[in-house]
């Protein structure tokens, strides 16, 4: 057990690191952050900062030496950096789990091995593999980069055979390859946060429901709609993955749901955007749960604190510096609304700048409040 008073190292300086630092500091841990130069919202809440590239193994060793345990707020940590940390200190997520979740094809092979359904798909490294995969999967389908895809990035949609030439051109551009996935018809997207401690204690958040716009999460509502059987299946899947992967910490399992059928879309071995509503909306936040799990503290069974909770992301619309959030005078009049701004220096179109959470009598009421607040909030100088 790493007792409060000890030190937690975080690889990554984004908003997830910032929100992790809050309960870590509240519990009395020292927070050390390794982040590259540039905008790093976590640094404002860190005790010690190391400004270095994620490729810098010396810096990673320094972070490990300063910390009793190290975690990561991003899954794309270079393997050599993760190993440099893990040789010195416990790293959660582990090198092995990072390797699985950094590559869509590895991740799907892992899920297949557990008998967990996913979208039908095939690894694609060559034009020949693309052609045989498309003859199997048909249209519409999606060519997804095996590595580094995020917020719908690194994806190319093949709606009709007319898109095949462009896909043929794309395939050789990535050394680490692609995955071609048949497009599913689903009714809703759910995510389940699951946490496991070293002692093997596992807890899950009841599923959240997510709506994306242009590949980026727009709104999360809780509790999710849909069949109780689908919810139980999603929870069972998340628990199976946590146990089979030896997870220590918190992970997000994103699922597509049609009726009672649940298929996993992807895994994120870290705190997740869909879990931001747990800060004000759950008996224990995803960030505190992660800190508890990696430090060996007891895990609590999370539940919503209201009939409904919702979160709406605040995305940037322009490229500008020194952002101010306008409209708070109106948005903050609703006592059930909570506004978060991540303290990023630079606004950019589609960049996640903050979010709004609202509680309500049910999920629809919470969503209406969160959307109403988000609609009056705008970035400016
Ligand atoms: P991803 O980056 O794989 O999470 O994809 C981003 C979003 O694209 C998902 O949240 C879905 O809304 C959509 N999407 C991804 N894969 C599929 C698929 N196989 N079928 C239908 N929609 C998909």
């Amino acid at each position: 057990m790493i007792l409060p008073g000890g030190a937690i190292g975080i690889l990554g300086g984004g908003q997830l690191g910032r929100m992790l630092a809050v309960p870590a500091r509240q519990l009395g841990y020292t927070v050390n952050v390794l982040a590259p130069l540039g905008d790093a919202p976590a640094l404002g809440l860190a005790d010690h900062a190391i400004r270095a590239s994620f490729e810098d193994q010396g810096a990673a060793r320094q972070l490990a030496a300063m910390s009793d345990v190290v975690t990561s707020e991003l899954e794309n940590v270079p393997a050599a950096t993760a190993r440099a940390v893990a040789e010195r200190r416990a790293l959660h997520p582990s090198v092995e789990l990072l390797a699985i979740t950094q590559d869509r094809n590895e991740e799907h092979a892992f899920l297949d091995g557990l008998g967990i359904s996913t979208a039908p798909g095939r690894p694609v490294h060559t034009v020949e593999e693309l052609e045989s995969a498309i003859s199997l999967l048909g249209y519409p389908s999606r060519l997804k980069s095996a590595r580094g895809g995020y917020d719908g990035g690194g994806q190319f949609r093949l709606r009709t055979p007319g898109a095949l030439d462009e896909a043929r051109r794309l395939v050789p551009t990535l050394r680490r390859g692609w995955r071609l996935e048949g497009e599913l018809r689903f009714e809703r997207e759910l995510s389940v946060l699951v946490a496991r401690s070293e002692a093997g204690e596992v807890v899950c958040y009841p599923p959240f429901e997510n709506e994306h716009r242009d590949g980026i999460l727009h709104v999360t509502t809780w509790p999710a709609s849909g069949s109780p059987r689908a919810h139980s299946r999603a929870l069972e899947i998340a628990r199976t993955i946590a146990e089979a992967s030896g997870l220590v910490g918190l992970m997000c399992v994103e699922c597509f749901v049609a009726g009672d059928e649940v298929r996993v879309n992807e895994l994120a071995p870290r705190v997740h955007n869909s879990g931001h509503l747990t800060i004000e909306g759950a008996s224990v936040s995803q960030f505190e749960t992660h800190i508890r799990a990696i430090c060996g503290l007891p895990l609590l069974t999370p539940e919503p604190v209201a009939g409904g909770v919702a979160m709406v992301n605040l995305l940037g619309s322009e490229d500008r510096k020194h952002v101010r959030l306008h409209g708070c005078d109106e948005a903050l009049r609703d006592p059930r609304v909570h506004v978060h701004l991540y303290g990023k220096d630079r606004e950019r179109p589609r960049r996640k700048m903050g979010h709004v959470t609202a509680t309500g009598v049910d999920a629809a009421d919470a969503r209406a409040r969160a959307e109403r607040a988000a609609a009056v909030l705008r970035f400016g100088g």
Side-chain angles (χ1 to χ4, degrees):
M1 191 183 289
I2 294 152
L3 297 175
I8 297 173
I10 303 176
L11 288 163
Q15 64 266 22
L16 300 177
R18 179 181 173 99
M19 289 184 271
L20 274 171
V22 174
R25 293 191 69 150
Q26 188 177 318
L27 278 163
Y29 293 102
T30 297
V31 175
N32 305 318
V33 168
L34 188 159
L37 287 175
D39 234 355
L43 291 186
L45 291 172
D47 294 279
H48 304 288
I50 301 174
R51 302 307 302 262
S53 138
F54 295 129
E55 309 285 342
D56 185 338
Q57 291 156 39
R61 278 186 212 103
Q62 192 190 340
L63 180 75
M66 293 163 73
S67 311
D68 296 305
V69 62
V70 178
T71 187
S72 173
E73 58 121 48
L74 60 154
E75 56 258 45
N76 292 320
V77 183
T81 302
R83 280 196 302 271
V85 172
E87 280 160 13
R88 279 156 192 82
R89 283 291 178 272
L91 172 68
H92 305 303
S94 66
V95 172
E96 296 74 23
L97 184 53
L98 286 168
I100 291 171
T101 54
Q102 278 174 356
D103 187 299
R104 279 187 200 275
N105 291 319
E106 296 286 334
E107 189 170 285
H108 279 252
F110 170 73
L111 294 167
D112 286 350
L114 295 175
I116 293 171
S117 309
T118 58
R122 284 285 177 280
V124 168
H125 299 90
T126 61
V127 170
E128 293 70 36
E129 283 179 351
L130 170 72
E131 285 166 357
S132 88
I134 199 82
S135 62
L136 198 74
L137 301 164
Y139 299 89
S141 57
R142 290 179 186 225
L143 189 64
K144 300 182 174 186
S145 62
R147 292 183 161 247
Y150 190 66
D151 284 339
Q155 287 200 28
F156 177 71
R157 188 160 183 257
L158 288 95
R159 205 169 56 82
T160 63
L164 193 54
D165 272 348
E166 177 64 8
R168 280 196 190 98
R169 196 192 60 72
L170 280 172
V171 166
T173 62
L174 289 186
R175 197 170 59 84
R176 307 304 286 265
W178 302 80
R179 182 172 186 82
L180 188 76
E181 243 180 59
E183 209 162 273
L184 293 170
R185 270 182 229 243
F186 52 82
E187 288 150 12
R188 53 186 62 80
E189 293 187 57
L190 302 187
S191 55
V192 175
L193 298 179
V194 54
R196 183 176 171 279
S197 66
E198 196 116 45
E201 198 181 355
V202 177
V203 296
C204 292
Y205 287 74
F208 308 130
E209 183 162 349
N210 301 316
E211 254 181 60
H212 295 80
R213 280 195 188 157
D214 303 324
I216 298 188
L217 182 63
H218 167 60
V219 60
T220 300
T221 47
W222 196 36
S225 64
S227 89
R229 285 178 67 166
H231 290 192
S232 318
R233 177 65 190 140
L235 291 167
E236 182 185 308
I237 287 172
R239 182 175 278 272
T240 302
I241 292 169
E243 284 169 352
S245 67
L247 173 73
V248 173
L250 182 132
M251 162 187 261
C252 181
V253 179
E254 295 182 49
C255 306
F256 298 130
V257 177
D260 291 343
E261 191 188 54
V262 178
R263 290 173 189 259
V264 171
N265 174 27
E266 61 183 4
L267 309 177
R270 53 168 172 78
V271 289
H272 191 260
N273 193 171
S274 63
H276 292 358
L277 52 66
T278 61
I279 296 177
E280 293 91 3
S283 50
V284 57
S285 79
Q286 64 164 344
F287 302 100
E288 180 172 337
T289 296
H290 181 66
I291 298 294
R292 283 173 176 250
I294 65 170
C295 292
L297 299 173
L299 299 184
L300 303 174
T301 301
E303 50 191 55
V305 298
V309 190
M311 187 275 328
V312 172
N313 270 332
L314 300 175
L315 304 184
S317 54
E318 286 182 32
D319 200 334
R320 73 184 135 205
K321 278 191 74 98
H322 309 305
V323 177
R324 294 284 182 277
L325 187 59
H326 298 259
C328 284
D329 45 344
E330 202 177 330
L332 291 175
R333 261 179 226 293
D334 183 337
R336 289 178 159 240
V337 160
H338 308 272
V339 173
H340 293 248
L341 186 65
Y342 303 144
K344 295 183 179 178
D345 275 346
R346 181 162 223 119
E347 178 189 357
R348 277 197 297 271
R350 290 163 55 84
R351 188 173 196 203
K352 289 175 180 169
M353 302 297 292
H355 70 266
V356 176
T357 297
T359 56
V361 292
D362 54 23
D365 176 42
R367 179 179 180 156
R369 288 171 187 271
E371 297 264 23
R372 208 179 303 131
V376 298
L377 292 169
R378 64 206 174 274
F379 299 110

